Amino acid sequence: MSIPFDRTNFVYFWLTKIIQFLLKLMGQMLRPWKTILNIELGSHKSVFQQIADGIIGEIKKGRLKPGMSLPGSRILAADIGVNRKTVVLAYEELMAEGWLETAYKKGTFVSEKLPKQKERRRQRNEESISSVKNFSFTAFGSGMPASVNSAVPLIVFNDGLPDVKLAPLDELARAYKRIFQQKARWRMLGYANERGEERLRTAISTMLTMDRGLSFGIGQICITRGSQMALYLTAQILIKPGDVVAMETPGYRPAFEAFKHAGASIEAVEIDEQGIRIAELEQLCRKGQLKAVYVTPHHQFPTTVSMKADRRLQLLALSNQYGFAIVEDDYDHDYHFGLRSLLPLASYDQAENVIYISSLSKLIAPAVRVGYVAGPASFIDSLAALRMTIDRQGDPVMENAVAELMEEGIVNKHAKRALGIYRDRRSLMSKYLDQYLKEKADYQLPEGGLAFWLRFKQPVDTIAFSELLLEHGVQVISTERFSFNGKPLNALRLGYAALDEAELERGIQIIASLLP
């Protein structure tokens, strides 16, 4: 019995086949998966994770849009050359995370619930145009010289850093190793005291008593990651918006910024060969409430001037009379070339209102971030509590290692050795300044510290001059940033301690040759 020919069914059958073929072909053309998903079989990331991350990337870029169909697991597996189970695992992961969704007997799709990705538009110059509004923030700049790749060997006159090649690294490494070999070493891997390790605070308390005439107990000391953190925390605890803070000018720019961002109104007070001018301070006190004075009395930054005894007594008396705090930054106490170092302001009997800040970073090495604040116990309580909000604690292992070096006298021995070397380099620096720059600049031989303050006889824009020097292989810090009252300084602070004899001479020669 013959079956009658049904033209309608015949045409419908083949049209369906052709449409299915064309849809499959278009799908392959629209989804070049081999190029979209780059699979690295040797990668540390599993293949299913690479597939999932690749699809997420395409969704974020907007090439896979909400509702768009994805190829079946068999097709995608064949396209990229992996096992089908791997693709299934990737799809399941993406569905669990909400990137994909599935419809019964229809397939897998990009989720419709995702936020629409804005298409990227490009100008003719290929620069992206974004209509997204970005959040605002406070911009900060370090003001320090940028690192430079130069064919000329760079001679760096820093702001007075020590020579890290002299650091007692072997002794520090051995102390570090011994700490990790202790049976109870696990105790140092948990949370520790936010004030710092008691062992280190005890060692610092002993050093301050024996060497600097200070009597701070361990409850009056808080360890920080360098003196800059100590200064920042002090400013935040001490200052309320609108409080008046007097600062030396020229002075230490990071201190200026710390007080400024704490909300202080800064009053710049000139210095002379004796230190900060007390008469100007007294005028500020009479005009209104002065909250604090920031000073570097041992070796003033940047001029290296040491504040003399009578000026110190006047400053302390003024503080007690008007009730303002003195923030004493004793950043390089150990490097003094006289018969003995001047004792800190905080050691005087009249020092009722002194907050003392110092550091071991310049003594050992800048990378050893150990600073500290010493002051009234209640003040240190507040400072330690604030410290927890930005830095839960310091480095207990490093702090214990440094404490061990202090207890064994290694730090003191290193300081004496380094001081002798720096004394010789100071003499060489003075020699070359006299030899090459006597006609163009003046200086006073610093009583201590690791830098010279060179004053030019003719006006010099140190910003432009520092850029010119850099082109000739010498890096200096432009000193315009040290002036807080807008007056030109016509000077450079040249740190010499990290340079050898040849570098010192060559550096001074280049400076001399480029000065007008």
Side-chain angles (χ1 to χ4, degrees), residues 50-294:
Q50 293 182 57
I51 295 171
D53 290 346
I55 292 173
I56 290 173
E58 294 302 308
I59 293 173
K60 288 182 175 180
K61 292 173 184 175
R63 288 201 282 259
L64 290 180
K65 302 182 184 300
M68 184 176 286
S69 173
L70 272 68
S73 57
R74 285 190 179 87
I75 295 174
L76 181 55
D79 281 349
I80 60 179
V82 299
N83 188 287
R84 179 186 171 234
K85 290 183 179 179
T86 304
V87 177
V88 171
L89 192 60
Y91 277 8
E92 289 177 347
E93 180 73 16
L94 292 173
M95 283 187 281
E97 294 179 5
W99 292 99
L100 303 182
E101 57 189 13
T102 184
Y104 182 65
K105 290 188 177 182
K106 290 185 179 181
T108 304
F109 303 86
V110 178
S111 175
E112 293 278 7
K113 297 178 182 179
L114 293 176
K116 293 183 179 180
Q117 304 292 322
K118 293 186 177 181
E119 294 184 1
R120 296 184 175 186
R121 301 177 182 177
R122 293 185 179 273
Q123 290 180 319
R124 293 180 181 178
N125 61 2
E126 298 298 319
E127 291 183 358
S128 298
I129 301 176
S130 174
S131 61
V132 177
K133 291 184 178 179
N134 295 322
F135 58 86
S136 63
F137 60 92
T138 302
F140 284 85
S142 70
M144 301 302 289
S147 57
V148 176
N149 293 322
S150 175
V152 181
L154 199 61
I155 299 172
V156 180
F157 288 97
N158 56 48
D159 68 355
L161 300 178
D163 188 347
V164 294
K165 296 188 292 294
L166 303 179
L169 297 182
D170 292 339
E171 295 89 340
L172 184 60
R174 285 194 290 269
Y176 224 86
K177 184 178 180 181
R178 279 194 293 272
I179 290 167
F180 273 112
Q181 289 174 338
Q182 295 174 1
K183 290 183 179 179
R185 59 186 178 272
W186 55 269
R187 292 178 180 173
M188 289 182 228
L189 302 182
Y191 285 125
N193 194 320
E194 66 275 8
R195 298 166 183 263
E197 288 296 295
E198 183 174 326
R199 183 182 182 186
L200 180 57
R201 285 185 287 137
T202 300
I204 289 175
S205 177
T206 301
M207 176 197 71
L208 294 178
T209 300
M210 301 296 293
D211 298 340
R212 306 188 190 182
L214 299 169
S215 56
F216 290 112
I218 62 172
Q220 296 176 275
I221 297 172
C222 182
I223 308 298
T224 59
R225 295 184 189 268
S227 59
Q228 191 57 43
M229 176 188 270
L231 184 57
Y232 176 83
L233 292 172
T234 297
Q236 292 295 318
I237 290 294
L238 192 60
I239 301 304
K240 293 183 176 65
D243 283 346
V244 178
V245 175
M247 299 195 67
E248 305 162 319
T249 187
Y252 186 48
R253 172 60 64 170
F256 179 94
E257 297 296 340
F259 283 108
K260 177 182 176 183
H261 289 285
S265 173
I266 307 294
E267 291 286 350
V269 179
E270 297 270 356
I271 65 162
D272 56 28
E273 64 279 359
Q274 302 291 315
I276 194 167
R277 293 178 178 175
I278 301 300
E280 292 185 26
L281 271 181
E282 190 166 7
Q283 288 178 4
L284 289 175
C285 291
R286 290 174 177 174
K287 287 180 181 178
Q289 185 65 38
L290 181 64
K291 185 62 178 290
V293 175
Y294 170 84

Side-chain angles (χ1 to χ4, degrees), residues 294-348:
Y294 170 84
V295 288
T296 51
H298 201 214
H299 307 127
Q300 199 275 335
F301 189 98
T303 66
T304 77
V305 167
S306 293
M307 187 184 293
K308 299 304 181 274
D310 61 332
R311 194 68 62 91
R312 291 168 178 249
L313 291 171
Q314 292 171 20
L315 177 58
L316 290 169
L318 203 63
S319 169
N320 293 336
Q321 179 182 352
Y322 288 96
F324 60 80
I326 299 174
V327 180
E328 179 180 15
D329 189 349
D330 198 5
Y331 63 94
D332 63 353
H333 184 90
D334 296 277
Y335 302 128
H336 196 79
F337 303 109
L339 294 177
R340 68 186 187 92
S341 292
L342 299 171
L343 293 179
L345 285 169
S347 68
Y348 285 61

